[in-house]
């Protein structure tokens, strides 16, 4: 008895009870469908988080000044002005896990061009800013070291500022005024969109930090923060330790003294977010798996009914020479077929479902081939697992009893 | 009609010493020339129904030679069905030995018995027992699928068997579209396809009207005479048993009489 024959007999048996076969498959269809759409939803959310991390700049760390504590008074974060540009240089020089670092100092100001004006954030960085923040220049150029040394009045605009101040014209080469000082626009940054907490990233003007210090804040020496890029995402934690060590030495802090700065490892937040999301994905997948399990129990139930119903047929087949394994394989193939076919329909449902979720609800989804393979494979396994008992039961029937069964 | 008492198979066989059976301790061996298709030696079958044990067969010794047409008669509960099930390898004896076509079938596994049924035995049942919602052609083909015969051989044999039983034109019909007589013919065709040395019939005419019953019985008789197929038939009707040349009467799990026409 070859496999094609068994397959033929099984398909025929399933065809005889079309409605019942479809209803039985429904459990698997829904199970696999929800598994695939849930996983694609979870992976879509994860992708979104990863994109947000990448947008913020890969492997990003922040150093902010700590809080002042004098005779019982404890100021908020940033109340110490011990952070200086040399700290950034030292971090870059002494921490092997740090790839790039830039001092950062910002101020809010009114920017004016012609009859347009706009209040925005002026942010000072060094020439490494585009690389650290993973933020390319769309038009023109970024400022260089010469601009930094000379505290040049050059500005690179965010898209929002560019659109508002220079509607319908090329801002590069124009001169605008910031706090009544003329600045030459040398470039426009790419559109970045919203930050993860809803701020418009593009509503900014980037200038050399030295210019902010000297020309706008009356020649202060300290800076507000340092942005740092670690050599890799995995290196962010070691980078954090190295930065802490370097800064404690530079600021001559004794063991008993607390840090006068804070190192923020942004990938930690990202990791936490990704982990939360992963938990959600696993949870959703579990719920879907439970429905798949219920579908499998449905398969077993129907196969048991089929075995009872076809007891006489089994008896006849045994009488004319079917071995127990022939009967077992036949019923097993039937349940696997039910599950596989249900699984494939479920994949279709899952794909349609995840498109519907992203189309109607606007949630990001990511269909991966692995989840499809997993869905189909899982349903085949359910077919074997839940089909085995009924098939075994059928194969163990006594031919005499089976033939007598009415 | 004269009925002679038939004691052993030896008496009807012309004594020629050719093939000798494998069990050398039997005294009648010398006079045997033909190996029996069925050879039962003191076969017993017990069933346990809860605490009680039912002795369905209490010690049957029986040889059936090739080409014989045997009717087994007896009241219900006499053990005739149990005997047929044992002969058909649907069951195993509790005690004793059973040689089927020379093969010891007393201690075979379920799979081995399935192979024996497939190769050595053709079954005909009272209720026809065709596979439901399966065409005549596929019903007749089924035993050959389990035998693993190639497609062209199967097709040839199905065609031939259907022709033999005279329902070639119904090959595509489903069992429930056929009359009882036609269904039994399909069953006979199915029993023939693997060319077994033995055919077993369990009340083959029990569900048929008398005209059709006669038709089927004549057909079976014809198969026995022309093709030398060994036939063992269980029946409780004397006029059906009359088609057989040898009649065994059973009572309380024992052979009461064994007549040869």
């Amino acid at each position: 008895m070859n496999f094609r024959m068994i397959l033929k007999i099984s398909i025929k048996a399933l065809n005889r009870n079309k409605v019942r076969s479809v209803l039985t498959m429904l459990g698997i269809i829904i199970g696999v469908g929800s598994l695939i759409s849930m996983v694609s939803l979870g992976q879509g959310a994860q992708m979104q988080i990863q994109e947000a991390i990448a947008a913020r700049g890969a492997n990003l760390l922040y150093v902010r000044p700590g809080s002042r504590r004098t005779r019982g008074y404890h100021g908020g974060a940033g109340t110490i002005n011990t952070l200086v540009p040399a700290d950034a240089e030292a971090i870059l020089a002494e921490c092997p896990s740090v790839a790039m670092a830039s001092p950062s100092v910002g101020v809010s100001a009114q920017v004016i061009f012609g009859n347009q004006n706009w209040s925005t954030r002026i942010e000072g960085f060094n020439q490494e800013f585009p690389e650290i923040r993973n933020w390319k220049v769309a038009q023109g150029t970024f400022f260089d070291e010469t601009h930094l040394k000379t505290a040049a009045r050059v500005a690179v605009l965010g898209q929002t500022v560019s659109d508002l101040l220079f509607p319908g014209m090329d801002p590069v080469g124009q001169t605008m005024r910031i706090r009544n000082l003329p600045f030459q626009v040398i470039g426009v940054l790419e559109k970045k969109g919203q930050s993860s907490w809803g701020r418009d990233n593009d509503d900014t003007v980037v200038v050399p930090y030295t210019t902010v210090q000297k020309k706008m804040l009356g020649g202060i020496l300290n800076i507000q923060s340092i942005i740092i890029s670690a050599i890799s995402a995995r290196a962010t934690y070691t980078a954090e330790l190295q930065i802490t060590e370097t800064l404690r030495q530079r600021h001559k802090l004794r063991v008993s003294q607390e840090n006068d700065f804070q190192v923020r490892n942004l990938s930690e937040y990202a990791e936490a977010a990704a982990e939360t999301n992963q938990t959600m994905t696993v949870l959703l997948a579990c719920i879907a798996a439970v429905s798949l399990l219920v579908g499998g129990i449905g398969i077993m139930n129907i196969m048991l009914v089929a075995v009872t119903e076809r007891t006489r047929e089994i008896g006849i087949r045994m009488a004319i020479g079917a071995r127990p394994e022939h009967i077992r394989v036949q019923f097993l193939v039937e349940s696997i077929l039910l599950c596989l076919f249900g699984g494939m329909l479920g994949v279709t449902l899952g794909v349609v479902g995840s498109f519907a979720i992203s189309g109607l609800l606007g949630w990001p989804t990511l269909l991966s081939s692995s989840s499809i393979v997993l869905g189909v494979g899982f349903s085949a396994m359910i077919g074997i697992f839940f089909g085995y008992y009924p098939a075994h039961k059928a194969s163990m029937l006594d031919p005499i009893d089976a033939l007598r069964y009415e | 009609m004269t009925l002679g008492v038939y004691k052993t198979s030896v008496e009807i066989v012309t004594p020629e010493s050719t093939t000798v059976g494998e069990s050398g301790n039997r005294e009648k061996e010398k006079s045997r020339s033909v190996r029996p298709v069925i050879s039962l030696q003191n076969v017993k079958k017990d069933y346990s129904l809860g605490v009680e044990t039912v002795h369905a067969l209490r010690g049957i010794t029986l040889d059936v030679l090739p080409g014989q047409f045997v009717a087994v008669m007896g009241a219900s509960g006499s053990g005739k069905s149990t005997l047929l099930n044992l002969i058909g390898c649907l069951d195993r004896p509790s005690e004793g030995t059973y040689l089927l076509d020379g093969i010891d079938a007393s201690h075979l596994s379920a799979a081995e018995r399935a192979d024996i049924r497939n190769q050595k035995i053709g079954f005909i049942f009272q209720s026809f027992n065709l596979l439901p919602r399966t065409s005549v052609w596929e019903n007749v083909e089924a035993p050959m699928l389990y035998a693993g015969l190639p497609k062209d051989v199967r097709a040839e044999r199905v065609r031939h068997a259907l022709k033999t039983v005279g329902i070639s034109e119904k090959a595509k019909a489903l069992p429930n579209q056929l009359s009882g007589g036609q269904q039994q013919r399909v069953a006979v065709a199915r029993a023939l396809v693997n060319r077994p040395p033995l055919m077993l019939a369990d009340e083959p005419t029990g569900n048929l009207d008398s005209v059709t019953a006669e038709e089927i019985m004549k057909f079976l008789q014809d198969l026995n005479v022309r093709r030398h197929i060994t036939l063992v038939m269980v029946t409780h009707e004397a006029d059906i048993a009359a088609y057989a040349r040898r009649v065994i009467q059973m009572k309380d799990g024992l052979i009461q009489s064994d007549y040869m026409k």
Side-chain angles (χ1 to χ4, degrees):
Chain A
M1 185 116 192
N2 60 30
F3 190 72
R4 245 186 63 218
M5 286 300 161
I6 290 178
L7 208 63
K8 221 172 111 185
I9 294 170
S10 299
I11 289 170
K12 215 165 159 190
L14 294 177
N15 247 328
R16 260 181 233 155
N17 282 305
K18 280 199 194 72
V19 175
R20 193 164 80 183
S21 299
V22 169
L23 285 177
T24 311
M25 274 192 284
L26 210 56
I28 298 293
I29 294 172
I30 292 171
V32 171
S34 53
L35 187 74
I36 285 177
S37 46
M38 290 302 121
V39 169
S40 81
L41 191 63
Q43 286 183 330
Q46 211 149 352
M47 183 185 68
Q48 199 181 33
I49 290 173
Q50 269 158 7
E51 268 174 8
I53 296 165
R56 197 189 283 139
N59 326 325
L60 200 60
L61 294 109
Y62 277 98
V63 177
R64 301 189 61 207
S67 59
R68 184 188 291 277
R69 196 198 279 269
T70 29
R71 278 182 261 130
Y73 166 79
H74 201 172
T79 45
I80 316 182
N81 45 17
T82 50
L83 218 55
V84 292
D87 286 333
E89 282 159 35
I91 286 167
L92 188 59
E94 288 169 30
C95 304
S97 291
V98 169
M100 288 171 285
S102 166
S104 166
V105 55
V107 63
S108 278
Q110 203 76 10
V111 291
I112 305 163
F113 177 76
N115 56 358
Q116 309 284 340
N117 76 92
W118 180 249
S119 174
T120 185
R121 181 119 188 110
I122 314 297
E123 291 177 284
F125 291 101
N126 69 10
Q127 76 286 356
E128 310 238 56
F129 169 84
E131 279 218 61
I132 297 175
R133 289 289 309 271
N134 191 19
W135 199 349
K136 291 187 184 67
V137 178
Q139 289 165 260
T141 53
F142 203 75
F143 50 80
D144 55 29
E145 268 181 276
T146 324
H147 292 122
L148 273 169
K149 278 186 190 140
T150 56
R153 289 198 296 265
V154 288
V156 180
L157 307 183
Q159 278 287 346
T160 306
V161 177
S162 168
D163 291 347
L164 284 166
L165 239 51
F166 303 94
M169 58 188 289
D170 184 5
V172 177
Q174 302 289 343
T175 303
M176 63 173 191
R177 301 180 78 82
I178 306 173
R179 284 195 170 175
N180 282 326
L181 291 170
F183 274 76
Q184 195 193 8
V185 178
I186 57 167
V188 179
L189 292 166
E190 270 183 347
K191 192 170 172 58
K192 192 84 165 175
Q194 278 192 357
S195 75
S196 42
W197 41 86
R199 222 191 69 195
D200 180 5
N201 277 323
D202 300 312
D203 187 5
T204 187
V205 173
V206 179
V207 299
Y209 76 93
T210 48
T211 310
V212 179
Q213 281 181 318
K214 290 172 187 164
K215 305 279 165 66
M216 304 180 82
L217 290 175
I220 60 157
L221 295 174
N222 66 312
I223 51 175
Q224 286 160 350
S225 63
I226 302 169
I227 59 169
I228 293 153
S229 181
I231 52 172
S232 74
R234 241 180 289 160
T236 49
Y237 185 66
T238 44
E240 189 181 332
L241 293 178
Q242 291 165 356
I243 291 163
T244 308
E245 186 58 29
T246 306
L247 287 182
R248 281 190 70 90
Q249 274 178 17
R250 282 188 54 83
H251 294 184
K252 301 190 171 58
L253 298 173
R254 287 190 299 271
V255 181
S256 59
Q257 278 178 302
E258 60 180 282
N259 290 347
D260 62 348
F261 58 88
Q262 297 171 345
V263 183
R264 292 267 172 93
N265 180 352
L266 284 186
S267 68
E268 262 171 25
Y269 296 98
E271 259 167 40
E275 214 165 281
T276 312
N277 190 258
Q278 208 157 14
T279 313
M280 276 305 288
T281 307
V282 169
L283 209 68
L284 288 173
C286 279
I287 293 167
V290 165
S291 77
L292 203 51
L293 194 77
V294 172
I297 293 167
I299 295 265
M300 176 144 82
N301 196 3
I302 281 301
M303 289 315 293
L304 282 172
V305 170
V307 168
T308 310
E309 220 179 44
R310 282 153 63 192
T311 299
R312 205 181 169 99
E313 183 195 319
I314 295 165
I316 297 169
R317 289 191 182 279
M318 284 178 159
I320 61 172
R323 292 186 193 171
E325 71 242 36
H326 286 137
I327 303 293
R328 188 161 49 223
V329 169
Q330 189 190 321
F331 279 92
L332 207 52
V333 164
E334 257 172 61
S335 79
I336 293 171
L337 274 183
L338 269 180
C339 286
L340 261 186
F341 200 60
M344 282 188 253
L345 286 177
V347 166
T348 317
L349 183 79
V351 170
V352 170
S354 64
F355 276 124
I357 288 169
S358 58
L360 297 174
L361 302 175
W363 296 350
T365 57
L366 181 68
L367 268 173
S368 65
S369 53
S370 65
S371 71
I372 290 171
V373 171
L374 200 80
V376 173
F378 207 43
S379 55
M381 262 166 54
I382 280 193
I384 295 170
F385 186 79
F386 288 102
Y388 188 81
Y389 172 67
H392 183 70
K393 206 180 152 195
S395 74
M396 295 312 277
L397 282 174
D398 181 66
I400 299 168
D401 293 340
L403 277 169
R404 260 192 225 129
Y405 187 86
E406 289 296 334
Chain B
M1 192 154 47
T2 50
L3 292 174
V5 178
Y6 176 73
K7 279 168 196 151
T8 66
S9 60
V10 185
E11 287 175 276
I12 60 143
V13 176
T14 41
E16 282 159 1
S17 54
T18 44
T19 38
V20 169
E22 39 291 309
S23 39
N25 55 352
R26 275 192 266 164
E27 41 186 29
K28 41 192 158 173
E29 205 164 278
K30 273 176 225 149
S31 53
R32 278 175 81 206
S33 61
V34 181
R35 184 175 68 187
V37 178
I38 296 165
S39 178
L40 297 172
Q41 277 295 316
N42 195 29
V43 164
K44 293 178 183 173
K45 182 69 189 176
D46 305 324
Y47 294 109
S48 55
L49 287 175
V51 265
E52 256 182 284
T53 304
V54 178
H55 304 286
L57 296 179
R58 293 161 185 268
I60 304 279
T61 300
L62 170 72
D63 279 3
V64 175
L65 297 183
Q68 284 191 334
F69 185 175
V70 185
V72 180
M73 295 193 70
S76 59
S78 60
K80 61 184 194 297
S81 290
T82 307
L83 180 65
L84 199 76
N85 288 338
L86 279 180
I87 292 173
C89 287
L90 290 165
D91 212 342
R92 278 188 290 202
S94 310
E95 260 180 69
T97 52
Y98 168 34
L99 299 182
L100 171 65
D101 207 23
I103 301 162
D104 187 350
S106 349
H107 307 287
L108 297 178
S109 71
E112 287 166 330
R113 275 182 285 136
D115 289 350
I116 291 249
R117 290 194 296 268
N118 185 247
Q119 293 300 313
K120 302 283 185 192
I121 301 162
F123 285 97
I124 302 165
F125 301 95
Q126 176 176 5
S127 46
F128 323 130
N129 275 342
L130 298 178
L131 293 171
R133 284 164 288 197
T134 305
S135 74
V136 165
W137 181 283
E138 286 168 310
N139 259 291
V140 177
E141 192 186 22
M144 294 185 287
L145 290 178
Y146 293 115
L149 292 176
K151 196 176 181 172
D152 49 333
V153 176
R154 295 201 305 262
E156 169 54 32
R157 287 203 193 175
V158 172
R159 219 171 286 131
H160 187 250
L162 288 179
K163 206 174 141 199
T164 308
V165 298
I167 44 165
S168 298
E169 75 285 357
K170 297 281 186 189
K172 287 201 176 110
L174 296 179
N176 56 2
Q177 296 165 333
L178 301 178
S179 69
Q182 286 170 323
Q183 286 190 54
Q184 198 60 300
R185 280 163 185 271
V186 176
V188 172
R190 181 180 66 186
L192 286 171
V193 282
N194 269 349
R195 297 173 181 168
L198 175 64
M199 261 172 96
L200 299 180
D202 187 2
E203 305 267 10
T205 58
N207 281 3
L208 301 175
D209 62 79
S210 57
V211 179
T212 320
E214 197 186 323
E215 201 184 293
I216 290 289
M217 284 320 297
K218 284 207 168 126
F219 184 74
L220 288 178
Q221 202 174 34
D222 194 54
L223 275 182
N224 171 249
V225 173
R226 294 240 200 114
R227 296 183 158 219
H228 307 289
I229 287 173
T230 316
L231 255 165
V232 176
M233 172 178 73
V234 162
T235 184
H236 62 272
E237 290 171 77
D239 53 338
I240 296 300
Y243 287 92
R245 286 195 294 138
R246 179 180 171 189
V247 178
I248 293 171
Q249 279 283 351
M250 286 192 68
K251 196 181 179 187
D252 300 329
L254 287 168
I255 293 179
Q256 202 183 23
S257 63
D258 191 343
Y259 294 94
M260 192 75 192
K261 274 188 213 170

